Every structure is written in structure tokens, then in C-alpha cells.
Amino acid sequence: MKKDTFYITTPIYYPSDKLHIGHAYCTVAADAMARYKRMQGYDVMFLTGTDEHGQKIEQKAQAKGVTPKQYVDDIVAGIKELWRLFNISNDRFIRTTDDYHEQAVQKIFRTLYEKGDIYKSHYEGWYCTPCESFWTETQLKDGKCPDCGREVVRSEEEAYFFRLSKYADRLVQYYKDHPGFIEPKSRENEMINNFIKPGLEDLCVSRTSFSWGVPVDFDPKHVVYVWIDALSNYITAMGYGSDDDSLYQKYWPANIHLVGKEIVRFHTIIWPAILMALGLPLPKKVFGHGWLVIGGGKMSKSKGNVVDPVVLCNRYGVDAIRYFLLREIPFGMDGNFTNEALVSRINADLANDLGNLVSRTCGMADRYFGGTLPADREEDALDDELKSLALETRKNVENFMDQMQFSNALNEIWKLISRTNKYIDETMPWALAKDEAKKARLATVLYNLAECIRIAAILITPFMPSTSPKILATLGLGEKDLCWDKAGQWGLLPAQTTFHKGENLFPRIDMAKEIAELEALTGVHTGSDAKAEVAPKAEKKQKETSKTAPDGIISIDDFAKVQLRAAKIISCEPVPKSDKLLKLQLDDGMGGRQVVSGIAQWYTPDQMVGKTVAVVANLKPAKLRGVVSEGMILAATVGDSAHVLFLDDDVPAGSEIR
Ligand code: MSP
């Protein structure tokens, strides 16, 4: 039977000296998605690559005394090595310096020119050399580049232009007709309000001031400038514009372009307009993820705050890093990277929850049955809840994966892992082992544990591809057992399962010692999650000095100081060791935030996820039970209980509330 296709792409990376963990974030996410779809039986095409042209590269190569090609070859080899280390399962790797790409780009450029969508004119504007971007006077921020804040220079040159302005209405109509084309939804609003509504200008698509690029074949003093070259990779990699476009016919349109939030604009405005001009179908979805930030700022080489992915992988293993990246940060939002958060996740989720479950179960099977379970069984009503959770988990994971909510998907698997650990405490195998008459019950308990471990091991495969086979091996299972469908079935292990105790999957880490060593090794102080704590004294002083009228009436100006916004709850989990607090990750249309709310007595996390709430957005961050809360959500007090104010689901995240 012919399989459905699934085509997923990452951006193509600039070959800067070294990629950092922020770059790896996008590729790991795309890899998890590609692996998930393959396991579900799709014919997957997963593309990544490098974006190698431009003035910056030309200058760097010059400074090093090598040709641009020599310069990029070296770095690209390192990038490929990094993806091997990260277990990235890309099917293709495109380099914009590949011959077939360059030829196809020339064809695309010529076609657009012949159709009248590209025309020759003059460009005059402010140019930022490091960003390779022209800016208009009004786009500048304090006279500097609005992206990087560096100096810009006045520049004028003959250039070709793409008629982007012509496509404004068609783009907005396309977004309307294809809900879900841009995700998260807040990014669609951003595109319309910040870029399309103010007016799209035609786009400069050629340069004459440098030569490291694809030459315009009918006017070779021009090279194709950045975006037409880079964006076309998604189709040229499939053979578009070549003699053999069978892959293009098979896989295009792509199912997902996964990109960082700062390049959503190029992928949802420029790229669709180019495709419309070429008369080609548009990708089905562009998903703009958030950034890994350190201390509130984007991790980037120019800021010197980058974390080296190789150091982390060598120290903790690739799967721990992959897990951390996709579990810690709700996909779509920015997430603060801290060494502390990383080590906590490894200790709590991987060493304690998962690692312990596997080693305890193997240990007990060894101790009580010499490693092989007897065939006798004795069921108990207690087992039913565990079994039904185990069987539900796959569906729940699928629901979140299909929405690219990796963190929630992992949370579902960890719910099963935690419930299984709790089952050990409830059934007390050590007590059963003391009673000869309870042997069948004991074997049943261990079998149920093994089944839950088997199911969890299959489900973690897209995220932790080298850990799952190791776990399955402890149950005597191999590659043929690693199928997604088998995670939805109970009782696949043989009754007389033999356990094979393996290595300790995730050794526990001594936090204090580790953080010191890690900071010494990387030279980067990531700090802890806490950025600000409200000191009780300061809070009191604030109360005393706030000027309100004696009768408690405030002016409209006072009220206007409170910024209220609509926010969508992306994920929610209890705060450890607290009966009252829930930790919520919110899409607030501004990059996301975390809020801790004292509503755990009245709401379960499941009741909160997906809802839209009102958040006080300019509240000073505070720490509750050691967890940072950046704002508060509004709730009505009714007697002793709280009723959260839920907004209509149609209210987009980020909408101002007045
Ligand atoms: N070459 C362009 C993309 C062209 S796609 C047709 C580019 N390259 S890049 O190397 O600068 O960035 C590649 C990706 O890495 C982008 O999606 C960007 O958002 C992502 N990241 C770079 N730093 C990041 C973080 N600190 N955190 C998360 N992602 C980050 O843009």
C-alpha cells in the first residue's frame, strides 16, 4: 500500500564558526517529529542544510585568507558532524553551494523575471553588513539596525526587485482560508498587523557589491540576494528546476517548515509570495518556535552567551539533552536555558522517574524470580487503572505531537511513568515476596510494570532514540518490537519474560558540584531560573507608597498601569511539594511566560490546558515555592474557592484587555 508522505524541513543554517545549543533546538524538534511520523508509517522526507552565500561569508573567508568555498566546506563538515552526534535522522542535506541548487535558483530567478514579478531598478537605503539587510529610514531603531543594533551605512546600487507588494491581499486571504498555516496563531496576527497592514514594499533580490552568491545568469554582475537563494532550497532539494523532479512531485508541498520566530516573516510572507508568483502550491504549515535565551537575552554568538552542544552531549549523553530541550520549553515559546534546570530535569525525570523504574523492576525480577517471571497470574482491580492509563497514553501523545506540543507529549509519557512508580508503592512487591502464596500476584505486578516500561520505551523513541532500544533490551525485546502501534496494545510481552539488567541509564548528578564544573568548563554562567524575587520589605514599601484616594477609588491612569492580556495555556503541571500551586506555561503573544497560580485545589492541569485566560502582564516576577512566576491569572473568589476567568477561545493570545 502506498504510504502517505510527510515532508518536514528545518531552516538552512548559516555556516558560522560553531553552532550553539539554540541551533540544535530546532533540528532536534524536527527530528523528533520526523521520527514520530516514520514510526506512524509515513513516508518521511526530512530536510536540513546550510545557507552558504552572502557578503558576511565572503568577508570572513577573506580575513582567513581562504576562498569562500574552502571556508564553508570546513564549517559545514562540522555541522554535519554535530547532527550525527545529535542522532539527527535527516534524509537529505542541502548546501546552497550545491550545483543543482545554484542552477535551479537561476531558473527560478529567470522565470520570475520573465513573468514580470522581478524587475530592475535602484536600491537606496540603509545597509547593515553583519545582517546583510537593507532598511528604510523608518525601520531603523535609533538610527541603527533594528535587528542587531549595529551601525548601518547609506547605500545605493542597481538591483533587481521582487514585486512583493502585489501579493499583500492574496497573502491575507490565504491565511484566512488556511487556518493553521501559521502557528502559533499569535504569529499570524503579528505578520498581518506588523508587516502586511503597514504596507509591503517590493523586495531587493540581487546585489552587485559582492560576488559570493548565485550569479543572475542573464545579468551576471548581479548575484541573487539571500532570500530567493535560501528559501528556494525547500524545493530545489527535491529536484525542482532540475531534469529529475520526481522527489518534488512526491513530497511537495511540505507539511511543515519549522523555523525560529525571527524568520517566520520570511517564510510566511516572502516565500509564499514567491511560490504564488511561480504558480506553485504553498507549504501546509510554518511553525515558528521560540528561542533559547540566557538571562532573558537570545543566545547568540555575538553576545558571547552561547552554550556548546558538544560539551553538553559529551557530559550527559545526547538523549538527555534532546529530552531537556523538548521537555523544558513549551514549543513555540522562548525558554530560559540554565545549567540548573538541565541538571534538575536529568535528576528528577530521567534518573529518578525513568531510570529508577527500569532498574527497580529489573532488580526485583532478579531478586524474586532469578530474572524470569513464572507464567502464573493473579489479577487485582488495582491493575485496571494502570492498564487503561498505559493504553490511553499513546493517543494522548499523538494528540499533542500533532499540534507540535512536544513538552506536553512528553508530559503524557511521564504521567504513565509516575503512575507506574506509584503502582510499585501501592502493590508493595517486597511484601508480596515474603508470602509464598502471593507468588502469582507478585509475577503479575512485575509483568504489569514491564508492560508499562515497554509502552513508555516505545513512546519516548522520537525524543530519545538511543535510550528506547536499551530499555527494550532489558525486557528481551529488539528492533521489531519498536513499533508505534505496539504502544497501543497491552500484553505483548511473553508471560515468562526474562529481564536483562543493563547499564544505569541516567546516573544521578550532584547538582552543586556539577554546576561549578560546568560553568568552569563552558565559561558561561547561565544563572538559575530566578531572575527577580520580591523581597517582603520592598513589597510592603510599595504598598505604603502607592497613592490611592482614601476611599480606594483609583483614576483611569492608575488602572491603565495594569497591563492585562489574553493568554493561552500551553501546558500546566503541579508545583512539586505544594497542594495549592499549579505552574502554567502561557502563550501571551509576546514570546510566552510562566505563571504560578494557587488554584490546584479547584483545577486539575488537564482542565487548564488549552484554555484562554486573562493575565496581569506587567507584574513584577516573584518566586512561589522556588518557582518563578511572571504575572498572575485572574480568578473570581466565590466563598472559599476560586473561579478562573476563562475567555472565549476565539480571543487571540496577546490581545490587550481593557
Ligand atoms: N539561514 C537562515 C535561514 C534560512 S531558511 C531558508 C538563518 N540561519 S541561522 O543559522 O541564523 O538560524 C537558523 C535557525 O536557528 C533559525 O530558525 C533560528 O531561529 C535558530 N536559532 C538561532 N539561535 C537560536 C536560539 N538561541 N534559540 C532557538 N533557535 C535559534 O536564519
Side-chain angles (χ1 to χ4, degrees):
M1 205 177 74
K2 206 172 148 277
K3 290 180 182 178
D4 284 340
T5 58
F6 184 82
Y7 179 20
I8 183 165
T9 66
T10 70
I12 46 173
Y13 294 83
Y14 290 128
S16 57
D17 296 338
K18 214 166 183 198
L19 295 193
H20 56 70
I21 192 80
H23 294 116
Y25 180 54
C26 183
T27 314
V28 164
D31 185 64
M33 199 64 198
R35 287 176 183 272
Y36 162 67
K37 286 288 178 182
R38 277 190 208 108
M39 285 182 84
Q40 283 199 317
Y42 283 82
D43 175 347
V44 171
M45 170 57 69
F46 170 19
L47 174 73
T48 187
T50 41
D51 185 358
E52 305 182 14
H53 292 124
Q55 192 171 17
K56 216 173 353 178
I57 300 280
E58 192 175 74
Q59 287 169 346
K60 280 190 177 174
Q62 221 163 29
K64 257 190 140 184
V66 293
T67 65
K69 185 67 167 61
Q70 283 166 336
Y71 177 79
V72 288
D73 278 353
D74 214 29
I75 298 173
V76 171
I79 292 177
K80 287 186 172 174
E81 194 47 50
L82 182 68
W83 296 154
R84 251 194 299 279
L85 173 68
F86 264 91
N87 236 327
I88 301 301
S89 62
N90 56 300
D91 300 289
R92 298 219 138 203
F93 189 102
I94 184 169
R95 300 183 57 175
T96 52
T97 50
D98 289 337
D99 287 347
Y100 70 87
H101 171 79
E102 295 194 350
Q103 284 158 18
V105 166
Q106 289 182 324
K107 250 192 192 167
I108 289 170
F109 198 94
R110 201 177 334 115
T111 309
L112 292 174
Y113 180 70
E114 284 163 3
K115 285 187 164 191
D117 271 306
I118 282 180
Y119 61 93
K120 199 177 195 172
S121 179
H122 277 87
Y123 195 91
E124 212 198 323
W126 295 99
Y127 188 65
C128 173
T129 312
C131 295
E132 295 177 12
S133 298
F134 268 108
W135 302 102
T136 59
E137 187 78 42
T138 49
Q139 284 173 322
L140 296 181
K141 225 175 173 175
D142 302 327
K144 305 241 166 72
C145 169
D147 263 3
C148 73
R150 281 177 277 208
E151 294 295 336
V152 287
V153 286
R154 193 80 191 152
S155 203
E156 191 199 324
E157 64 183 52
E158 179 188 283
Y160 285 92
F161 285 80
F162 172 65
R163 288 191 201 281
L164 185 61
S165 55
K166 176 175 146 187
Y167 291 92
D169 294 343
R170 279 179 67 183
L171 285 168
V172 174
Q173 192 57 44
Y174 190 86
Y175 301 164
K176 259 199 201 139
D177 295 344
H178 299 82
F181 171 61
I182 306 177
E183 280 191 0
K185 181 83 182 158
S186 55
R187 305 217 191 277
E188 178 182 317
N189 304 333
E190 216 176 293
M191 292 306 118
I192 297 177
N193 297 332
N194 299 358
F195 299 108
I196 302 184
K197 273 195 187 153
L200 287 180
E201 288 180 24
D202 288 350
L203 186 75
C204 174
V205 289
S206 82
R207 302 298 315 276
T208 54
S209 53
F210 62 92
S211 58
W212 180 236
V214 180
V216 174
D217 55 1
F218 55 88
D219 193 354
K221 73 172 187 291
H222 288 260
V223 291
V224 178
Y225 171 56
V226 189
W227 289 104
I228 288 201
D229 176 15
L231 289 161
S232 302
N233 93 87
Y234 301 127
I235 51 175
T236 63
M238 298 296 103
Y240 177 83
S242 77
D243 295 340
D244 177 6
D245 70 353
S246 51
L247 288 179
Y248 169 81
Q249 296 299 343
K250 183 173 181 188
Y251 291 106
W252 190 258
N255 295 72
I256 300 178
H257 288 323
L258 207 55
V259 301
K261 63 180 183 180
E262 84 283 20
I263 55 172
V264 167
R265 175 158 71 107
F266 306 108
H267 285 79
T268 59
I269 296 178
I270 299 176
W271 181 223
I274 294 173
L275 290 167
M276 284 173 178
L278 290 169
L280 301 179
L282 269 50
K284 293 183 187 151
K285 187 185 292 302
V286 176
F287 192 104
H289 64 77
W291 290 336
L292 284 196
V293 299
I294 286 196
K298 185 186 179 205
M299 190 184 291
S300 76
K301 194 162 165 274
S302 56
K303 289 189 189 154
N305 64 354
V306 295
V307 173
D308 185 344
V310 179
V311 170
L312 295 184
C313 287
N314 289 342
R315 221 169 157 84
Y316 308 113
V318 175
D319 277 7
I321 306 306
R322 290 176 59 116
Y323 173 79
F324 173 76
L325 291 175
L326 297 180
R327 174 73 178 89
E328 183 71 11
I329 308 156
F331 205 60
M333 295 200 229
D334 288 352
N336 207 22
F337 180 93
T338 69
N339 292 330
E340 249 176 50
L342 170 64
V343 175
S344 302
R345 280 278 174 206
I346 295 176
N347 278 346
D349 300 4
L350 301 181
N352 270 6
D353 294 347
L354 177 61
N356 260 353
L357 174 63
V358 176
S359 66
R360 274 173 97 187
T361 306
C362 286
M364 290 191 288
D366 241 12
R367 215 168 315 127
Y368 306 139
F369 295 114
T372 301
L373 300 183
D376 309 334
R377 291 288 178 269
E378 185 187 325
E379 308 288 337
D380 187 301
L382 196 61
D383 307 342
D384 298 342
E385 191 199 324
L386 183 72
K387 275 188 211 171
S388 54
L389 178 66
L391 287 173
E392 262 165 35
T393 303
R394 185 188 62 153
K395 215 57 267 110
N396 296 341
V397 170
E398 285 172 359
N399 285 341
F400 284 120
M401 286 303 277
D402 294 342
Q403 299 169 55
M404 310 282 295
Q405 291 301 321
F406 301 109
S407 173
N408 285 329
L410 281 165
N411 194 33
E412 290 302 316
I413 307 172
W414 255 255
K415 271 190 204 162
L416 172 63
I417 292 170
S418 303
R419 184 65 192 84
T420 312
N421 274 318
K422 193 169 156 211
Y423 177 78
I424 300 182
D425 299 337
E426 289 168 348
T427 53
M428 296 193 289
W430 50 91
L432 297 174
K434 287 188 186 140
D435 186 345
E436 200 47 41
K438 296 273 166 63
K439 283 280 164 181
R441 177 66 195 140
L442 179 60
T444 310
V445 166
L446 290 183
Y447 183 84
N448 291 343
L449 291 175
E451 272 296 283
C452 289
I453 292 172
R454 180 185 66 79
I455 289 171
I458 295 173
L459 296 177
I460 63 170
T461 312
F463 308 93
M464 304 168 85
S466 39
T467 301
S468 42
K470 284 187 203 159
I471 298 179
L472 289 182
T474 66
L475 305 172
L477 301 177
E479 212 177 308
K480 67 173 186 353
D481 305 293
L482 204 52
C483 323
W484 195 254
D485 280 353
K486 292 188 176 180
Q489 297 168 48
W490 184 266
L492 298 189
L493 278 166
Q496 287 168 296
T497 285
T498 299
F499 293 72
H500 309 265
K501 201 166 169 40
E503 60 186 291
N504 186 355
L505 290 172
F506 298 100
R508 241 193 108 72
I509 303 166
D510 175 337
M511 170 78 86
K513 195 164 147 260
E514 187 66 20
I515 299 298
E517 279 181 26
L518 204 52
E519 293 194 343
L521 192 70
T522 58
V524 178
H525 298 265
T526 60
S528 73
D529 264 344
K531 265 172 269 144
E533 255 188 288
V534 178
K537 257 192 194 161
E539 211 177 17
K540 190 160 167 260
K541 196 155 171 225
Q542 222 174 352
K543 274 188 194 150
E544 282 165 3
T545 54
S546 79
K547 281 192 202 125
T548 49
D551 54 2
I553 299 293
I554 60 168
S555 71
I556 186 86
D557 292 341
D558 284 332
F559 178 67
K561 287 181 195 154
V562 181
Q563 279 177 26
L564 291 171
R565 277 179 191 273
K568 197 169 180 80
I569 302 174
I570 303 297
S571 69
C572 176
E573 58 186 78
V575 169
K577 296 194 198 108
S578 163
D579 304 334
K580 299 206 171 104
L581 301 178
L582 290 182
K583 184 168 85 173
L584 309 145
Q585 303 297 342
L586 304 179
D587 175 5
D588 58 359
M590 299 185 298
R593 66 176 62 220
Q594 170 175 299
V595 164
V596 176
S597 178
I599 52 169
Q601 287 157 280
W602 305 288
Y603 295 89
T604 62
D606 285 351
Q607 290 170 317
M608 300 300 290
V609 173
K611 298 269 170 54
T612 304
V613 290
V615 64
V616 182
N618 60 340
L619 204 58
K620 190 169 179 179
K623 253 180 152 186
L624 301 170
R625 287 263 171 176
V627 182
V628 177
S629 181
E630 301 160 308
M632 62 183 269
I633 62 168
L634 298 188
T637 310
V638 183
D640 280 345
S641 60
H643 288 230
V644 173
L645 298 187
F646 292 118
L647 304 179
D648 205 317
D649 283 345
D650 294 343
V651 178
S655 308
E656 244 183 83
I657 301 173
R658 289 172 221 239

